[in-house]
Amino acid sequence: MSYGVGLLGNRAHQMSYGPILEARPDCRIVAAAEHRADKAGPLEERFGVVCGPDYNAVLEDPDVQIVSIATDFYLKRPLITKAIACGKHVLVDKPLSRTVREAREISGAAEGSGIRIVLSYPIRYLPGLAALARGIRTGAYANISSYTHHFVRQFKDSDLMQYVSYPTPVNVNGGGELMNLGSHAVDYLHHLFGMPGRIFSSMRNAYWDEYQAFGTEDMATVVCEYGDFVATLVTGRNKLEEEGPPANAVDVTAQGHWIHAEPESMLVNGVSLDLPASPVQYSDACVQELIDSIEEDRDPVMSVSDGLAVAEMTTAAYQSAQTGEFVTLPLENVNHPLIDADVQVIEGFLD
């Protein structure tokens, strides 16, 4: 089958998945929308389709079967729920939403719809992290007593806003780097162990004035309790004289094993393992999972339920950072503490 694809959102974010969709023989990009003209122009130029401001026109287009949604986080709920109502399958550039209430509305709309929605969490497919996940899930690495994941971008000391769309006001994207880069680490942890019982977090404006201006964090440390062990996530954006490689490494202590996993490698007790080659690149794997789930008529492995879990865990982390105390899951209070109670769900544009 050949799928018509609609791109929703600006060129910077669509460059992660738009070229992958464009290059597939079973996909063709037929429509695009971005409500800001300064972002729509580059998207139109890159992909060669008219990019207007009307998202509904793309979602209602009968030639579109799949939409790739790569917008600011506050727009995810109305666009995903509209896509479901229009019968479009969805690839979502992480995370699912900026608040738990928004995530729950998406989850409710998706339930029983038959629409396939894949969250783009490609680090699950990196050879080293995939091997660690297999070992934990099969019980090869059991009786775990510690888990630490450093996931930190090493960014050049410069005008940050030239290069990325972050930071933003908290009501747009729900926070700083925990919502952005940290979403990957939270999803991977949930993929391995499910929901923790309690979460404690500490957040800082350690390096970037741009984050300070918006009152959001550029570094976050999140501690998750799982009964007999705790898992620690350290995530954010470091500042270097010159741009360096990202830190992405997981260390696990299990019975008889010390495991150190990086994107392309894994050491067990200091010995490097031969890892099977991935059949596709890790970002391509997210797109392939969406196509496979459509054609096999099954739930995707990175689904709305995972996105809802990430929303609950990150919200608990922001609550903990505000109070300085552990927060128990499931949440009693689902409100994001940095967002006013009456705008936990937003209608309309903020810019």
Side-chain angles (χ1 to χ4, degrees):
M1 179 175 177
S2 179
Y3 299 95
V5 177
L7 306 179
L8 305 182
N10 66 76
R11 179 179 184 274
H13 292 117
Q14 288 293 358
M15 283 305 293
S16 295
Y17 294 96
I20 296 171
L21 290 158
E22 180 184 47
R24 291 182 63 99
D26 56 358
C27 292
R28 66 195 191 284
I29 295 173
V30 298
E34 163 55 51
H35 71 280
R36 285 184 51 170
D38 59 325
K39 295 181 178 181
L43 189 71
E44 184 172 296
E45 180 180 349
R46 168 60 183 81
F47 293 102
V49 293
V50 174
C51 184
D54 188 355
Y55 295 115
N56 286 333
V58 174
L59 292 168
E60 294 169 2
D61 188 335
D63 292 330
V64 171
Q65 289 82 46
I66 292 173
V67 289
S68 172
I69 298 179
T71 61
D72 284 330
F73 303 165
Y74 78 94
L75 287 170
K76 301 283 184 68
R77 179 199 59 84
L79 293 180
I80 296 172
T81 55
K82 173 76 173 184
I84 294 167
C86 291
K88 314 300 185 185
H89 303 290
V90 184
L91 178 70
V92 186
D93 183 47
K94 55 76 198 164
L96 181 65
S97 66
R98 66 188 184 118
T99 69
V100 174
R101 285 177 56 192
E102 289 173 346
R104 287 181 175 177
E105 287 197 17
I106 294 169
S107 178
E111 187 174 359
S113 68
I115 296 301
R116 306 307 169 196
I117 302 172
V118 166
L119 276 291
S120 60
Y121 285 119
I123 73 167
R124 291 194 191 187
Y125 294 99
L126 292 168
L129 300 187
L132 174 60
R134 285 193 299 271
I136 290 174
R137 286 173 166 266
T138 61
Y141 310 132
N143 194 15
I144 292 171
S145 59
S146 70
Y147 174 103
T148 302
H149 188 176
H150 280 87
F151 195 27
V152 180
R153 278 289 307 272
Q154 308 264 68
F155 210 79
K156 183 179 179 180
D157 185 359
S158 59
D159 181 1
L160 186 65
M161 302 304 284
Q162 288 186 72
Y163 301 100
V164 294
S165 61
Y166 294 91
T168 56
V170 68
N171 64 329
V172 172
N173 284 335
E177 280 303 321
L178 180 61
M179 291 294 294
N180 178 31
L181 193 70
S183 175
H184 293 281
V186 173
D187 172 76
Y188 183 69
L189 180 66
H190 177 261
H191 173 57
L192 296 180
F193 304 115
M195 292 292 282
R198 297 198 305 169
I199 283 180
F200 178 86
S201 70
S202 174
M203 300 186 188
R204 292 183 59 195
N205 300 112
Y207 305 116
W208 298 95
D209 292 339
E210 292 90 339
Y211 288 82
Q212 181 70 49
F214 288 119
T216 57
E217 77 290 345
D218 55 27
M219 292 294 300
T221 301
V222 182
V223 177
C224 301
E225 282 191 347
Y226 284 97
D228 293 337
F229 75 99
V230 298
T232 303
L233 311 179
V234 181
T235 189
R237 193 178 295 271
N238 197 1
K239 181 185 285 190
L240 284 71
E241 290 186 7
E242 297 293 335
E243 187 165 356
N248 186 5
V250 180
D251 288 280
V252 176
T253 305
Q255 186 168 338
H257 303 95
W258 167 62
I259 305 111
H260 177 79
E262 295 189 12
E264 302 295 331
S265 63
M266 190 169 81
L267 289 84
V268 179
N269 296 331
V271 178
S272 181
L273 300 187
D274 290 329
L275 301 178
S278 175
V280 294
Q281 292 296 313
Y282 64 99
S283 292
D284 298 66
C286 296
V287 177
Q288 187 63 54
E289 173 60 17
L290 176 60
I291 300 298
D292 288 347
S293 68
I294 294 169
E295 297 187 347
E296 296 167 11
D297 193 25
R298 61 167 173 81
D299 291 335
V301 298
M302 297 179 296
S303 66
V304 169
S305 62
D306 299 289
L308 176 56
V310 170
E312 293 189 13
M313 291 171 69
T314 53
T315 297
Y318 282 107
Q319 291 177 354
S320 174
Q322 290 289 297
T323 65
E325 299 177 351
F326 274 91
V327 172
T328 300
L329 292 165
L331 292 173
E332 288 188 15
N333 171 19
V334 300
N335 282 348
H336 192 305
L338 302 181
I339 299 174
D340 290 343
D342 60 347
V343 287
Q344 297 284 317
V345 176
I346 284 181
E347 301 287 351
F349 298 127
L350 293 177
D351 54 358

